[in-house]
Amino acid sequence: KQPTRDFTAPAGNAIRVGQTADDWDEYHLTRMFSSEALDRDGLVTRTESYHYGHQIAVNAFISTPKGGEVAELARSIDLANHVVQHDSFFMSPEWQGKGIAKDLMRSAVKQYDEAGIDRVTVLAAGQNGRYTWARFGFDFQNDASRARMRAHFEKVLARLIGQKMGADSSPESVERLKEAHAVGFARIAAAEHSWDFAGMSVPGIAEDFGKRAMIEGPEWSGWLDLKPGSEGRKVFDDYTR
């Protein structure tokens, strides 16, 4: 740990004006990586933090009482610019689906809110990350990421329609697939936000089409707008409620 005492938090910081990086570290980090799910399962959290001027790099390791790996997280906190970068997040497959990720995100965002953080960035990569970050309300940072995802969705839809037509080319099936084609491509064209893609269904093709397509899709640069009333914040609050 490299303590820095020369940083003064911007006015309006919800905890206290004039806090140092050490103050932020001491107050927030233990709360950031706490959750009801961790307490319920008796899991243990160990954190490491490094200070670089107004920035803090944080690594968190979550394990069972016997030392079994549960999750590992890395975050970079920029106190001066009110931004946090979620650098990485790994969870052992056997611990997925137990509500731990949602609990950790709720705890983290609560600390971000109190400390005046208004933006979280992430590279949505990995099979689950491409889809999950969208569900959490992270949106595309740029048009290029959106365009790549749109092109990928179009390819997946065309492939699935081709597979179904190959399996059943009866006139009735062809008509149904033509309708699915029109509906699916219209929904892809209308999608703007990452969560529009993630939650997309195409009747006659797949109700979970968006999830299936996004999981195998390209990585994308994302950001979560934490300001009250923002679209991303509403998606986050609904998903983690």
Side-chain angles (χ1 to χ4, degrees), residues 170-207:
S170 66
E172 296 82 2
S173 176
V174 170
E175 284 303 313
R176 287 195 299 270
L177 291 174
K178 284 182 178 179
E179 182 178 350
H181 179 281
V183 170
F185 275 86
R187 291 183 178 181
I188 293 171
E192 287 295 324
H193 303 290
S194 66
W195 49 85
D196 296 332
F197 287 92
M200 190 180 299
S201 65
V202 180
I205 301 299
E207 289 302 312

Side-chain angles (χ1 to χ4, degrees), residues 19-39:
Q19 70 175 184
T20 64
D22 280 352
D23 294 331
W24 202 99
D25 193 358
E26 179 180 356
Y27 184 89
H28 293 287
L29 291 188
T30 56
R31 294 163 176 80
M32 186 185 299
F33 299 108
S34 64
S35 79
E36 293 179 3
L38 298 186
D39 294 341

Side-chain angles (χ1 to χ4, degrees), residues 15-221:
I15 297 303
R16 57 187 178 276
V17 174
Q19 70 175 184
T20 64
D22 280 352
D23 294 331
W24 202 99
D25 193 358
E26 179 180 356
Y27 184 89
H28 293 287
L29 291 188
T30 56
R31 294 163 176 80
M32 186 185 299
F33 299 108
S34 64
S35 79
E36 293 179 3
L38 298 186
D39 294 341
R40 179 193 66 215
D41 293 312
L43 302 179
V44 179
T45 303
R46 176 174 62 87
T47 62
E48 299 173 348
S49 62
Y50 305 87
H51 300 170
Y52 306 91
H54 60 271
Q55 298 184 355
I56 307 174
V58 184
N59 296 318
F61 308 89
I62 301 172
S63 61
T64 65
K66 294 184 178 181
E69 185 180 45
V70 175
E72 184 175 332
L73 307 86
R75 293 170 182 170
S76 302
I77 303 165
D78 186 337
L79 294 170
N81 293 303
H82 311 276
V83 177
V84 173
Q85 166 74 22
H86 282 200
D87 298 305
S88 65
F89 177 68
F90 167 80
M91 180 168 289
S92 298
E94 61 267 30
W95 286 95
Q96 295 176 12
K98 298 180 182 293
I100 294 175
K102 283 187 179 182
D103 267 8
L104 288 171
M105 281 296 294
R106 274 193 295 264
S107 297
V109 168
K110 181 178 180 181
Q111 299 311 309
Y112 298 162
D113 286 341
E114 292 185 3
I117 300 295
D118 56 26
R119 182 184 181 99
V120 185
T121 61
V122 71
L123 176 62
Q127 192 174 60
N128 293 326
R130 299 173 188 131
Y131 168 75
T132 303
W133 290 119
R135 295 297 306 278
F136 274 117
F138 285 78
D139 204 0
F140 301 115
Q141 281 200 56
N142 51 61
D143 292 337
S145 290
R146 182 184 298 104
R148 283 193 297 270
M149 191 63 71
R150 195 185 311 281
H152 168 71
F153 267 54
E154 291 173 347
K155 290 179 181 178
V156 173
L157 180 58
R159 185 186 74 219
L160 294 177
I161 289 175
Q163 290 172 351
K164 287 184 175 291
M165 189 169 291
D168 182 1
S169 59
S170 66
E172 296 82 2
S173 176
V174 170
E175 284 303 313
R176 287 195 299 270
L177 291 174
K178 284 182 178 179
E179 182 178 350
H181 179 281
V183 170
F185 275 86
R187 291 183 178 181
I188 293 171
E192 287 295 324
H193 303 290
S194 66
W195 49 85
D196 296 332
F197 287 92
M200 190 180 299
S201 65
V202 180
I205 301 299
E207 289 302 312
D208 63 345
F209 171 74
K211 179 179 181 180
R212 292 169 59 179
M214 211 161 199
I215 282 176
E216 65 177 71
E219 65 183 29
W220 49 280
S221 298

